[in-house]
Each structure stands twice: as C-alpha cells, then as structure tokens.
Amino acid sequence: MDNKTEQESYKLVSREYQRQDTQIAIKENIIDSNQFHVIAGPCAVESKEQILETAWAVKEAGATFLRGGAFKPRSSPYSFQGLGEEGLKYLAEAREETGLPVVTEVMDVRDVELVAFYADIIQVGARNMQNFFLLKEISQLGKPVILKRGQCATLKEWLMAAEYLLYGGNPNVILCERGIRTFENYTRNTLDLSAVPALKDLTHLPVFVDPSHGTGKRELVAPMAKAAMAAGADGLIIEVHPNPEKACSDGRQSLNPKDFALLMQDLRRLAQVMAREMVQKE
Amino acid sequence: MDNKTEQESYKLVSREYQRQDTQIAIKENIIDSNQFHVIAGPCAVESKEQILETAWAVKEAGATFLRGGAFKPRSSPYSFQGLGEEGLKYLAEAREETGLPVVTEVMDVRDVELVAFYADIIQVGARNMQNFFLLKEISQLGKPVILKRGQCATLKEWLMAAEYLLYGGNPNVILCERGIRTFENYTRNTLDLSAVPALKDLTHLPVFVDPSHGTGKRELVAPMAKAAMAAGADGLIIEVHPNPEKACSDGRQSLNPKDFALLMQDLRRLAQVMAREMVQKE
Amino acid sequence: MDNKTEQESYKLVSREYQRQDTQIAIKENIIDSNQFHVIAGPCAVESKEQILETAWAVKEAGATFLRGGAFKPRSSPYSFQGLGEEGLKYLAEAREETGLPVVTEVMDVRDVELVAFYADIIQVGARNMQNFFLLKEISQLGKPVILKRGQCATLKEWLMAAEYLLYGGNPNVILCERGIRTFENYTRNTLDLSAVPALKDLTHLPVFVDPSHGTGKRELVAPMAKAAMAAGADGLIIEVHPNPEKACSDGRQSLNPKDFALLMQDLRRLAQVMAREMVQKE
Amino acid sequence: MDNKTEQESYKLVSREYQRQDTQIAIKENIIDSNQFHVIAGPCAVESKEQILETAWAVKEAGATFLRGGAFKPRSSPYSFQGLGEEGLKYLAEAREETGLPVVTEVMDVRDVELVAFYADIIQVGARNMQNFFLLKEISQLGKPVILKRGQCATLKEWLMAAEYLLYGGNPNVILCERGIRTFENYTRNTLDLSAVPALKDLTHLPVFVDPSHGTGKRELVAPMAKAAMAAGADGLIIEVHPNPEKACSDGRQSLNPKDFALLMQDLRRLAQVMAREMVQKE
C-alpha cells in the first residue's frame, strides 16, 4: 500500500466526482435515497420448496427483492457448500412465481456469466471484496452489484474496491455494510452503522445494511434494522428462513416469517418519519 | 481472568436477577424505558459564560440534563487539563439558573466526595471503567452513576464493572455506549449500537449512547443519535459547544446550538414512532 | 458459521491426525523443523534486470528461494498491477541462472495452471486465504503451497482454509504468518508471532513468517525476523529490492541487499542456538 | 484528542530529546541495553510460604527481581482481590531472605506511598496506563516504575502516558509490552513484539516484555520469551507459581519452577548471541 498513490486512489465513486445520488433501476424498483428496499430470504437455497415458501412470505411482508445463496463460501470444507446451478434455477422459479427480482452471490470468476444469467443483482461477499479479478470480471457487466464490506476493510479500501467496478464500466453499485471484526465476540461481527452516514458523505452510491450477518443473533436483527434506517441507509438485506432452527447455515441469525413481518411493519412506520418510501408489491 | 469464575461473574445487574427495568429518579426526571433523555453540553467547562450560554441553549432545545467536564483526562500532559473545582462551581451555577441537573466526571478516588457534592449524576469515563477502586468508592454513594464502556471492553467486562457498583450498594447505574476501538480510523471510535439491544436482553439497567465520542465527527452525530434511539437506547449524551471551532477539547465532534436544536426536533418525531416520551422543560 | 460444525471443522491438518512434522522437498531443499529457509526477493517483478540482480544478491547472502510477484493485488485500480506472464518468465530465467527455486502468487483460478508451470512454490496471499474456489483448484496440484494468513483470520479459520488444500489432495502446505489487522497503526499490520508456537502445537504443517508485510517498515524487519526464528518458525519470507526507494510497490518495507546480508549473518548465528540448519547454496 | 496538540504530545521520552539509553540502577542491578533482567514470581501473593518458595526458586534459576501482586484488579467483584498490605509484607520478607528486589503493582492513588515503601519497582498495570492521577502521584517519587501498555493503547498513547511520569519528575521509567486486544481469541492477548524495536527507535527508555499476560497460555511463554529477547527487549516479566493448577489467579499462564529454570537456560544461551549480559545472583 503506497500512501502517495492511495490518496488519489478512488475518483469515480466520490461525491466530488458526482454530486447527485446514483439511481439504480431494477424492473420497476428504483434504488436511491427516496425509496427504501428490503432484500430478504434464506442464507442458502436448500430446496425448491424452501425458497418458494420463503419468497411468498417475504413478498407478503413487503420485501421487494429475494435473496438466497447457491454457492456457499463456508469456512470448513466439511460444511454444506450450496446447491450450485440447481439453486440458481430455484431462485429463477421463485422470481417467476412471485415477481420478486433475485439477489445471489458469485464467488468464482468462472461463474460470473452463469450467475449473471439468473440474477437481477449480483452480490460480491465480504470475503471477495478485494478479489480484484472477480471485480474486474463483474465490472464488464451492466448488471447491478451489491458489494459487501470486507470483514476488516476500512471505508477507504471499500471505496477503492468499488472503484474497480466503476472503472471497469459498471456504475450500478450498491454498498452493503455487514459488520466488521473486532474484539467483541458477543455479536458475530460489530455492525458499523456510522459507515452509513460516512459513506453518504464520501460517495454517491446507495448504501445498504445487513443486520443479520452484522450481529449473528436474530434477537438483535430488528433493532439494528431500524437503527440502520434511522442512520440513513437506503435498504436492508435480512435473512429469513421458514424454519431457522433447521437451516443448513446461519440459522442462528435468521428471522422466521412472522417476526420478519412484524419488523416490516415497524420499518414502514419509521419510514414515514425518515421521509422514505416503501413500495408494497401486489 | 479465570474462566470458571467469570461465568458467575455478575448477578445483580442481570435480567435473571431482576426482570423489570431499573428506574432512576433525578429530581422530576425518570430515567427508564419510557422517557427518553438527552444530556448535552460541552466536553470541558471552559468558563462561566461558556457553560451558562450552553446550558440555556441546550435547555431551550429540549435537553433535560447539562454535561460538562471539570477534570479532563487528556492523553498528553501538555493538553488542557480542566478547571477543576472551579468548573464544578460553574456547573452548579448553571443548574441554579436553568434548573437542569448536571452530569460530570470523576476520575480520582480522592475527588469522589467533592464531585458528588456538585453533581446530580456522576460519570465514570471509558478509561476508568475498570478502575475498581474508583468504582468501590462510588458504590458507597446513592447518587446515580453513568458508567461509560471502556474502549476495549467486552459487554461482559462492562457488566462486571457495573456489578461492582451494585454489589457495593448503589443500584442507580446507567450504562453508556461510547464506541470501541477497532482498525477503522475514519471515525474516532466504532460506535457499537448492537450493544444497546444486547444489553437490554442482558441487564435491567438503562442504556445511553454517546454519539459524539462514538464517532468523533460532528457530521455523524445526528444520524447516529437517531440510530441509537431506533436501536432502543434510553437516552443520549451529546457534546454541544457555543463555538466548536474554539473548543479547548473535542471541538471536532461538538455540535453548535443550532444543529443541536435541529437534531432534537428530529428526535422528537422519531420518539413518537418509538413510543418514547420526551419531556420539554419549561 | 455454524459452531457445532466448526468444532469438527479441520482434521487432516491437525497434530492429532498426524504427530510428526510434515516435510516438503523442493529440489534439494527440505522444508521441515530442522532446516531453516529464507525466501527473499522483491514485492513485484519489475524488469528482467531487477529480478536477476536481486536473485544473485539474495543467493549470495544465503537465501534458498527467490520470491517475486507477477500479479499484484493492489487496493486501488490506479496502482501498478504487475507484469503478468512476462514477470513469471523473468522469474524462471532467474531460476535458470541462479538455481534458486521460485515462489510466486496466484490470485485467479484461471491462472493456476500457468503459475504452477513456472513456480516451485505457489503462494496464496492474505486476501485469498478464504477464496475457497482458488484453494480447491490448487489442491488438485501436488505443487507446494504457501498459505498466508488472512488479515483478520483466526488461527482456526486459517487451519480450516489449509484443510481445503489437504482435503483436496495436496499435503504440501506451508503456513505463513504475515500480520493481522489491529487498532495499532504505527506498523502496517501487527505481526502475531505467538501464532508460531500455537500452530506448532495445533498442526504438523511448517510455519513461516513474513516480517516485511508484518511490520511494513524496513527498520523493524531484522529484529522481527530474528524474533520469528526464536519463536520457532521454520523459515522467513523477506522483501529485498536493489533500490527500495524506487520500488513499484512496498518499497517502505523492503531491505536493500546489504542490510539483507547483515540480517542473514545474524540469523546464522541465531540458528546455532536454536539448533537449526541453514544451508548455504554454492 | 486534539490532533494538533497530539503531534507535540511527548518530548522528554523521545530519542530526539535524549539520544543515549536511560540507565536505571536498582541496588546492584543496572537496567539498560547491556544487561538483561528477568522479573519472576506469582501473579498474586497468596501466602508467606508461597511467595518465599517462589522467590528461592526463581532466584536459583537466575531471575534478578521478584514480582507478586498484593492488590489484584479483577474483572469481577466476586474474584480473589489480593492480600493487600499483608501481601506487601510477605514480599518484603522474601526480599530480606533472598536479596531479590521486589516489583509490585499500585492501583489506588491513596496507596502510592504504602506501595513505594515496600517496593523496589512500582508497577502500573495495563488498566491504569491512562490513570493520569495515579501517574502524577507516582511521578513525584524517584522510585523506578514499570509502565505496562494499555490493552488498546497505541505506541503513541503509551509514550504520552510515560511522558506524564518524566514531566512530573521521575525519569526511571521502564515500558512493558504485555499484549494488545485483537479479534484473535486463541491467545488471551496478542503480544505485539514489533513494539520492542519500534520503541527502541522512538524512545530512550528500557523496554520489557510480559509473555505470560501476552499469551495467557503457559506453553507459549517460553517461545515468546525467547522471541522477545531476539527482538531486542531489555528484560522480561514472567509469572511463576509453585503449583500453577492451584493458583488464585492466572494459573493457566504461569510456569512451574522447573519449566522456568529450563527457559532461563535457553535465554542464557540466546543472550550470548544477542550480546546481552545475564547476571546470576549468588
């Protein structure tokens, strides 16, 4: 890291370069600083039934996007590694049925085209925030990208990673705070909500928050989701599972559909005070 | 730190021990989970005029307590070290005039009686969270205490520190999250708002948040203050200075009276959604 | 991260599974707990002349492997990104001339075969420690791998990443501590030397240390290199550049050939006390 | 923390102010960069027998100072809090019998005179590194002080704390690295050995290392003690207990006398390579 270079290390993502907020249109949804979007769904796609059931539940509660992982980057080789392309197909079916656009993660440069074929928004996970080859590949696509913050990435490093995407030609980038690693181990990560207003000053890109990974405990998800909105976030990613106790991964941090629906009600009331529009799909 | 002992290391502060929220009455104010209180004022008492001017301004905006430091624990011996007892007297005068109860920090066991004589709430700062001799001394008083989280204290260590106060006989303890030290240096500290709902589960004590120290940048104070309320905090401590650019310490994170008044308006609207009462003094 | 799964999350890398130290033979060199090897060279291959000059210099001083980056994972898209395959060819030429086996990093799954063709040891950098697709690809090769610790990886996560390599069929894995990210910013990273004896207890794999990235400051490299040997490390990776002030990257942490030679002398004397053999190539 | 002030925030402790190393004479011992001293003893003084037995054992092995805590700053009020003045008296008796000067911690400003009466070196623990009132009080004494690094203190903050001591009139200050708090929890703290050569550049004060607190695991103490010497430390503080399994505190990180004697042998051989003198008392 060469300090001199670093000081001029991002440009296209900065507020100085572009004053007005970036707007990203995905079907009828506009991601910007007026609307507030909630992306919900299970950590991993486990079966057709599971993803369909979840899709209908989160749509009914007011989510505007469906999330689900087909390729799972697990710390241990002995953990469930995802359904792969089969999972992507189930996601596409759930989109057909419910009309919800889908968000899913790509981890391998060789899968970028495949994932882009199925996904409406491509997610780059925390572990790949500085996988520059992956970023370069994705930057060639026009498809919207959610770029999650690396577990130990500074705001500056995160913005430089986003710069790879814009520099490569893709302006449709959404940043997503998902917690950083600190000494505190009561929570899985420490959700750094101050990143939200800080990024709003530094960049014109939309900023989302993932309180599920950010806390790792379902009982903390609702308060932190509300706090994220109050801090100025443009949207949320929330893990919802029809039966969290039986989830293949991350069950401890997933909401069940009922608790998710209650949270959405609270968010809708909060949105009024925060001058945010939350669209309810039919 | 002996793990076996640690597992039984706090009791009186836990939710298991006492289900209902602790209520702390200070003059006509009740600190609990119904009312929402804002403690405001300068980092350091600098002069009689400065503290009086600030007191009137924050009262008018809706603050219910006045804060100000008389003894300043500065990292370098060459920095301004506070006015000492003279500062305490100015605080008392400001209370006489405005009716606002005052909050000020004690750092030396030998000053506990002196500070308790002037203060309505005694503050224990982050650096003294594990100054167990100071905690023991303060535990002898019935006077309410704000116990700030240490810069690298886990929730458990914080609760054990609070246990010293209750164990010594003082049940009137308010916890205050003020940011933890992490690798991120865009902000002065990383404000750990997930500590708020986590503590609400673990303990019956009121939980406040200090977004001024928590971020170190005034432009982040208002969004994080709102986020704190949305996360379930029972109150805030906010640094306000009539002229932040000329402050003897921490000017970079202080709001001016006008911005503070705007924030208070936002908080009042948010309080309605969060079912919180914000009393306006006459 | 599912705690129950995690507890059984590595097996092949553990001391319980294999008591005796892994030995890795690379040409006439044996990497194990008897010999002590120093891998030296520039951060990035910049030109044929630069790599050849460095190769001869580090060989003369006693290094047994040459390092150099052809693909450079830079935080900003505007920084020097490496010479690519041209750099690999220069490394191979340097090997031809000096006889030193070469170590170089692979970052893209699509480059694994290419890099494996040129390299004697493949390096997986800190940012890719949990790039599981890359690990799976490399695990198919028999070629030795240096797996650097992720900047915020726990020892357990690191061992699970190594498990991917052994599980996939590649037992020739060397772990390399290179510093973790902490609040301290005097050094670029905090070199966690306690990881060395800890890993020696937990795993049978060789453990190297990179004091150049670990500190980011050349004046700290020599003392930390000696400390690494005293802590029980099996080898070192050290950045050496013929002209550190003009380096394309990481010049601030590179030794010049003269200081490197002095360090090697010190290490040789220390090796006698530590019962380590340091082979000098002819 | 006012950045402008901070840049001029220490002076007396800096290498610019005083080029030559500080020398501290304590009885016949000289603490400087020629001799290498090991301070050993139990975490807490538990009984007269325990401290006497330990004193003789560590002296025989080559320790030149005896340590032991009389006042114990424990995280929980329910843990053993030390013997107080009785413990100080036992330490003094052990000094009478063995001739070893004693090192013990003071935590309360009101105990400074008392502790100074019994101790040859006063220790300021990690939690009190920024207890500026305590530092001011101790700075009035001429007695040597060991100032441990705070758990989340930067090098700069540590040097500013030391500046309080020199500024107040006490030049006899020894710095002691004892591990910082990071995300890694395999070890109790992360021992930052790079602080040793860094401090040697920045300050003329002697630098010690405490591998017992720094790792929290006895099997890591010996390798890290050797690494500390190789990194350039001027001495060590090591916890030794006649029966670590029965220690009132910190048994998990204490060596038994036999393992301590083996470590001292290794250190003596290493000292020859490092050009350090280790005096053996008669």
Side-chain angles (χ1 to χ4, degrees):
Chain A
M1 211 175 326
D2 174 348
N3 283 327
K4 181 160 142 287
T5 312
E6 266 214 282
Q7 281 162 15
E8 308 164 67
S9 51
Y10 61 83
K11 184 180 78 168
L12 307 175
V13 302
S14 71
R15 271 281 182 215
E16 283 79 43
Y17 186 78
Q18 180 188 312
R19 298 304 307 169
Q20 77 275 25
D21 288 334
T22 283
Q23 281 201 328
I24 302 175
I26 298 156
K27 298 189 175 167
E28 73 273 39
N29 306 287
I30 308 287
I31 289 174
D32 65 0
S33 47
N34 295 313
Q35 293 190 16
F36 188 89
H37 289 277
V38 177
I39 300 168
C43 178
V45 180
E46 296 168 9
S47 70
K48 184 148 91 172
E49 294 65 34
Q50 173 242 23
I51 193 68
L52 274 174
E53 181 182 348
T54 313
W56 281 116
V58 301
K59 181 182 179 179
E60 192 179 17
T64 41
F65 291 85
L66 175 66
R67 62 150 287 158
F71 302 98
K72 296 308 302 170
R74 306 299 295 284
S75 302
S76 166
Y78 305 115
S79 301
F80 173 64
Q81 306 272 322
L83 295 181
E85 187 171 0
E86 193 187 349
L88 296 175
K89 285 180 179 161
Y90 296 157
L91 281 169
E93 278 189 57
R95 172 177 49 203
E96 285 309 297
E97 293 216 13
T98 62
L100 293 181
V102 303
V103 181
T104 197
E105 184 171 354
V106 66
M107 269 161 283
D108 187 332
V109 284
R110 297 166 301 190
D111 293 334
V112 168
E113 277 189 50
L114 178 75
V115 173
F117 176 77
Y118 289 103
D120 298 287
I121 301 180
I122 295 176
Q123 180 176 308
V124 176
R127 284 179 184 134
N128 283 308
M129 190 200 85
Q130 291 190 314
N131 184 336
F132 301 115
F133 291 82
L134 186 64
L135 296 179
K136 285 177 181 175
E137 210 64 39
I138 293 170
S139 75
Q140 311 284 314
L141 309 167
K143 192 140 278 195
V145 191
I146 286 182
L147 180 65
K148 288 196 147 188
R149 182 183 190 173
Q151 217 173 5
C152 61
T154 62
L155 296 186
K156 189 171 189 181
E157 289 167 339
W158 192 7
L159 290 170
M160 289 194 283
E163 185 81 6
Y164 269 91
L165 293 167
L166 275 76
Y167 181 68
N170 187 340
N172 300 309
V173 177
I174 300 157
L175 301 171
C176 181
E177 162 66 26
R178 45 76 72 206
I180 56 174
R181 185 160 273 188
T182 70
F183 64 81
E184 175 61 75
N185 55 18
Y186 181 82
T187 43
R188 182 176 172 177
N189 293 288
T190 296
L191 191 64
D192 177 14
L193 285 187
S194 63
V196 175
L199 289 170
K200 287 292 184 183
D201 287 345
L202 296 169
T203 181
H204 50 82
L205 298 173
V207 181
F208 275 48
V209 170
D210 174 349
S212 305
H213 283 87
T215 63
K217 293 193 162 168
R218 85 172 58 90
E219 65 272 24
L220 304 180
V221 170
M224 294 313 281
K226 288 182 268 185
M229 185 189 266
D234 301 312
L236 294 166
I237 305 184
I238 295 179
E239 290 196 359
V240 179
H241 193 283
N243 195 342
E245 280 70 26
K246 298 204 174 153
C248 290
S249 58
D250 288 345
R252 181 66 186 83
Q253 70 196 34
S254 297
L255 295 184
N256 62 38
K258 193 180 145 210
D259 288 340
F260 177 67
L262 290 171
L263 168 58
M264 290 300 288
Q265 286 177 22
D266 282 356
L267 288 173
R268 236 176 261 116
R269 287 192 296 141
L270 194 56
Q272 293 176 348
V273 176
M274 297 298 296
R276 284 280 186 176
E277 187 187 350
M278 285 179 76
V279 184
Q280 172 76 53
K281 300 234 175 170
E282 313 236 327
Chain B
M1 211 174 326
D2 175 347
N3 284 326
K4 182 159 141 289
T5 312
E6 265 214 280
Q7 281 163 13
E8 308 163 68
S9 50
Y10 61 82
K11 183 179 81 168
L12 307 176
V13 301
S14 71
R15 270 283 181 214
E16 284 79 44
Y17 187 78
Q18 180 187 315
R19 298 304 307 169
Q20 77 276 24
D21 287 334
T22 284
Q23 283 202 327
I24 302 174
I26 299 157
K27 297 187 175 167
E28 73 273 39
N29 307 286
I30 308 288
I31 290 175
D32 65 359
S33 47
N34 295 313
Q35 294 191 17
F36 187 89
H37 288 278
V38 178
I39 301 168
C43 177
V45 180
E46 296 167 9
S47 68
K48 186 149 89 172
E49 294 66 34
Q50 174 242 24
I51 195 68
L52 274 173
E53 181 183 348
T54 313
W56 281 117
V58 301
K59 181 183 181 180
E60 191 178 19
T64 40
F65 290 85
L66 174 67
R67 62 150 286 157
F71 302 98
K72 297 307 303 170
R74 307 301 295 283
S75 301
S76 165
Y78 305 114
S79 300
F80 173 63
Q81 307 272 322
L83 295 181
E85 186 170 1
E86 193 187 348
L88 296 175
K89 285 180 179 162
Y90 296 157
L91 281 169
E93 277 189 57
R95 172 177 50 204
E96 286 308 298
E97 293 216 12
T98 62
L100 294 180
V102 303
V103 181
T104 198
E105 184 172 353
V106 67
M107 269 161 282
D108 187 331
V109 285
R110 297 166 300 189
D111 293 333
V112 168
E113 277 189 51
L114 177 75
V115 173
F117 175 78
Y118 288 103
D120 297 286
I121 302 181
I122 295 175
Q123 180 177 309
V124 177
R127 285 179 185 135
N128 283 309
M129 190 201 85
Q130 290 190 315
N131 184 336
F132 301 114
F133 291 82
L134 186 63
L135 296 179
K136 285 177 182 175
E137 209 65 38
I138 293 171
S139 74
Q140 311 284 314
L141 309 168
K143 193 142 277 196
V145 190
I146 286 183
L147 180 65
K148 288 197 146 189
R149 182 182 189 174
Q151 219 174 3
C152 61
T154 62
L155 296 186
K156 188 170 189 180
E157 289 167 340
W158 193 6
L159 290 171
M160 289 194 284
E163 185 82 6
Y164 268 91
L165 293 167
L166 275 76
Y167 181 67
N170 187 339
N172 300 309
V173 177
I174 300 158
L175 301 171
C176 181
E177 162 66 27
R178 47 76 72 204
I180 57 174
R181 184 160 272 190
T182 70
F183 64 83
E184 175 61 76
N185 54 18
Y186 182 83
T187 41
R188 181 175 173 177
N189 293 288
T190 296
L191 191 64
D192 178 14
L193 285 187
S194 63
V196 175
L199 289 170
K200 286 294 184 182
D201 287 345
L202 296 169
T203 181
H204 49 82
L205 298 173
V207 181
F208 275 48
V209 170
D210 173 350
S212 305
H213 283 87
T215 64
K217 291 191 164 170
R218 82 173 61 90
E219 65 272 25
L220 304 179
V221 170
M224 295 312 282
K226 288 183 267 184
M229 185 192 266
D234 301 312
L236 294 165
I237 304 184
I238 295 179
E239 290 195 0
V240 178
H241 193 282
N243 195 342
E245 281 69 27
K246 299 206 173 149
C248 290
S249 59
D250 289 345
R252 182 67 187 82
Q253 70 196 33
S254 296
L255 296 183
N256 62 39
K258 192 181 145 209
D259 288 339
F260 177 67
L262 290 170
L263 168 58
M264 289 300 288
Q265 285 176 23
D266 283 356
L267 288 172
R268 237 177 257 115
R269 287 193 298 140
L270 194 57
Q272 292 175 349
V273 176
M274 297 299 295
R276 284 281 186 177
E277 186 187 352
M278 283 180 76
V279 184
Q280 173 76 52
K281 301 236 174 167
E282 315 237 327
Chain C
M1 209 174 328
D2 175 348
N3 284 327
K4 181 160 141 288
T5 312
E6 267 216 279
Q7 281 163 14
E8 309 164 66
S9 51
Y10 61 81
K11 184 179 79 168
L12 307 175
V13 303
S14 71
R15 271 281 182 215
E16 283 79 43
Y17 186 79
Q18 180 189 313
R19 297 304 307 169
Q20 77 275 26
D21 287 334
T22 283
Q23 281 202 327
I24 302 175
I26 298 157
K27 298 189 173 167
E28 72 274 41
N29 306 287
I30 308 286
I31 289 174
D32 65 359
S33 47
N34 295 314
Q35 293 190 16
F36 188 88
H37 288 278
V38 177
I39 301 168
C43 177
V45 180
E46 295 167 9
S47 69
K48 185 147 89 172
E49 294 66 36
Q50 173 241 24
I51 194 70
L52 274 173
E53 182 183 349
T54 313
W56 282 116
V58 301
K59 181 182 180 178
E60 192 180 19
T64 40
F65 291 85
L66 175 66
R67 63 149 286 157
F71 303 98
K72 297 306 304 169
R74 306 300 295 284
S75 302
S76 165
Y78 305 113
S79 300
F80 173 63
Q81 305 272 323
L83 295 180
E85 186 169 2
E86 193 188 349
L88 296 175
K89 286 179 179 161
Y90 295 157
L91 281 170
E93 278 190 57
R95 172 177 49 202
E96 286 310 298
E97 294 216 12
T98 61
L100 293 181
V102 303
V103 181
T104 197
E105 183 171 354
V106 66
M107 269 160 283
D108 187 331
V109 284
R110 297 165 301 188
D111 293 334
V112 168
E113 277 189 50
L114 178 75
V115 173
F117 176 78
Y118 288 103
D120 298 286
I121 302 181
I122 295 175
Q123 180 176 308
V124 177
R127 284 178 186 137
N128 283 308
M129 190 200 85
Q130 291 190 316
N131 184 336
F132 301 115
F133 291 82
L134 186 63
L135 296 179
K136 285 177 182 175
E137 209 65 38
I138 293 171
S139 74
Q140 311 285 314
L141 310 168
K143 193 139 279 193
V145 191
I146 286 183
L147 179 66
K148 287 196 147 188
R149 182 183 190 173
Q151 217 172 5
C152 61
T154 62
L155 295 186
K156 189 170 188 181
E157 289 167 339
W158 192 7
L159 290 170
M160 289 195 283
E163 185 81 6
Y164 268 90
L165 294 167
L166 274 76
Y167 181 68
N170 188 339
N172 299 310
V173 177
I174 300 157
L175 301 171
C176 181
E177 162 66 27
R178 46 75 73 206
I180 57 173
R181 185 160 273 188
T182 70
F183 63 83
E184 175 61 74
N185 55 17
Y186 182 83
T187 43
R188 182 175 172 178
N189 293 287
T190 296
L191 191 64
D192 177 14
L193 285 187
S194 62
V196 175
L199 289 170
K200 286 292 185 183
D201 288 345
L202 296 169
T203 180
H204 49 82
L205 297 173
V207 181
F208 274 49
V209 170
D210 174 349
S212 305
H213 283 87
T215 64
K217 293 194 162 167
R218 84 171 59 90
E219 65 272 24
L220 304 180
V221 170
M224 294 313 282
K226 288 182 267 185
M229 185 190 265
D234 301 312
L236 293 166
I237 305 183
I238 295 180
E239 291 196 358
V240 179
H241 193 283
N243 195 342
E245 280 69 27
K246 297 204 174 153
C248 289
S249 58
D250 287 346
R252 182 68 187 81
Q253 71 196 34
S254 297
L255 295 184
N256 62 38
K258 192 180 145 211
D259 288 339
F260 177 68
L262 290 171
L263 168 58
M264 289 300 288
Q265 286 176 23
D266 282 357
L267 288 173
R268 236 176 259 115
R269 287 192 297 139
L270 195 56
Q272 292 176 349
V273 176
M274 297 298 296
R276 285 279 186 176
E277 187 187 351
M278 284 181 76
V279 184
Q280 172 77 52
K281 300 235 175 167
E282 315 236 329
Chain D
M1 214 173 325
D2 175 348
N3 284 325
K4 182 159 142 289
T5 311
E6 267 215 280
Q7 280 161 16
E8 307 164 70
S9 50
Y10 61 82
K11 185 179 78 168
L12 307 175
V13 302
S14 71
R15 271 281 182 216
E16 284 79 45
Y17 187 79
Q18 181 188 314
R19 298 304 305 169
Q20 76 276 24
D21 288 333
T22 283
Q23 282 202 327
I24 302 174
I26 298 157
K27 298 187 175 167
E28 74 272 40
N29 306 286
I30 307 288
I31 290 175
D32 65 0
S33 48
N34 295 313
Q35 294 191 16
F36 187 89
H37 288 278
V38 178
I39 301 168
C43 177
V45 180
E46 296 167 9
S47 69
K48 185 148 91 172
E49 293 67 33
Q50 174 243 23
I51 194 68
L52 274 173
E53 181 183 348
T54 312
W56 282 116
V58 302
K59 180 181 181 180
E60 191 180 19
T64 40
F65 290 85
L66 174 67
R67 62 149 286 158
F71 302 98
K72 297 307 301 170
R74 306 300 295 284
S75 302
S76 166
Y78 305 114
S79 300
F80 172 64
Q81 306 272 322
L83 296 181
E85 187 170 1
E86 193 188 348
L88 296 175
K89 285 179 179 162
Y90 296 157
L91 282 169
E93 278 189 56
R95 173 177 50 203
E96 286 308 298
E97 293 216 11
T98 62
L100 293 180
V102 302
V103 181
T104 198
E105 185 172 353
V106 67
M107 269 161 282
D108 187 331
V109 284
R110 298 166 299 189
D111 292 333
V112 168
E113 277 189 50
L114 178 75
V115 173
F117 176 77
Y118 288 103
D120 298 287
I121 301 181
I122 295 176
Q123 179 176 309
V124 177
R127 285 179 185 136
N128 283 309
M129 189 200 85
Q130 291 191 316
N131 184 336
F132 302 114
F133 291 82
L134 186 63
L135 296 179
K136 285 177 182 174
E137 209 65 37
I138 293 171
S139 74
Q140 311 284 314
L141 310 168
K143 193 140 279 196
V145 190
I146 286 182
L147 179 65
K148 288 198 147 188
R149 182 183 189 174
Q151 219 173 3
C152 61
T154 62
L155 296 186
K156 188 171 187 181
E157 289 167 338
W158 192 8
L159 290 170
M160 288 194 284
E163 185 81 6
Y164 268 90
L165 293 167
L166 275 75
Y167 181 68
N170 187 340
N172 300 310
V173 177
I174 300 158
L175 301 171
C176 181
E177 161 66 27
R178 46 77 72 204
I180 57 174
R181 183 161 274 189
T182 71
F183 64 82
E184 176 61 76
N185 56 18
Y186 180 82
T187 42
R188 181 174 173 178
N189 293 288
T190 296
L191 190 65
D192 177 14
L193 285 187
S194 62
V196 175
L199 289 170
K200 286 293 184 182
D201 287 346
L202 296 169
T203 181
H204 50 81
L205 298 173
V207 181
F208 275 48
V209 170
D210 174 350
S212 305
H213 283 87
T215 63
K217 293 191 162 168
R218 83 171 60 90
E219 64 272 24
L220 304 180
V221 170
M224 296 312 282
K226 288 183 267 184
M229 185 191 265
D234 300 313
L236 294 166
I237 304 184
I238 295 179
E239 290 194 0
V240 179
H241 193 282
N243 196 340
E245 281 69 27
K246 298 205 174 152
C248 290
S249 59
D250 288 345
R252 181 67 186 83
Q253 71 196 32
S254 296
L255 296 183
N256 62 38
K258 191 180 147 210
D259 288 339
F260 177 68
L262 290 171
L263 168 57
M264 290 299 288
Q265 285 177 24
D266 282 357
L267 289 173
R268 237 176 258 115
R269 287 193 298 140
L270 195 56
Q272 293 176 350
V273 177
M274 297 298 295
R276 283 282 186 176
E277 186 188 351
M278 285 181 76
V279 184
Q280 174 76 53
K281 301 236 173 166
E282 314 236 328

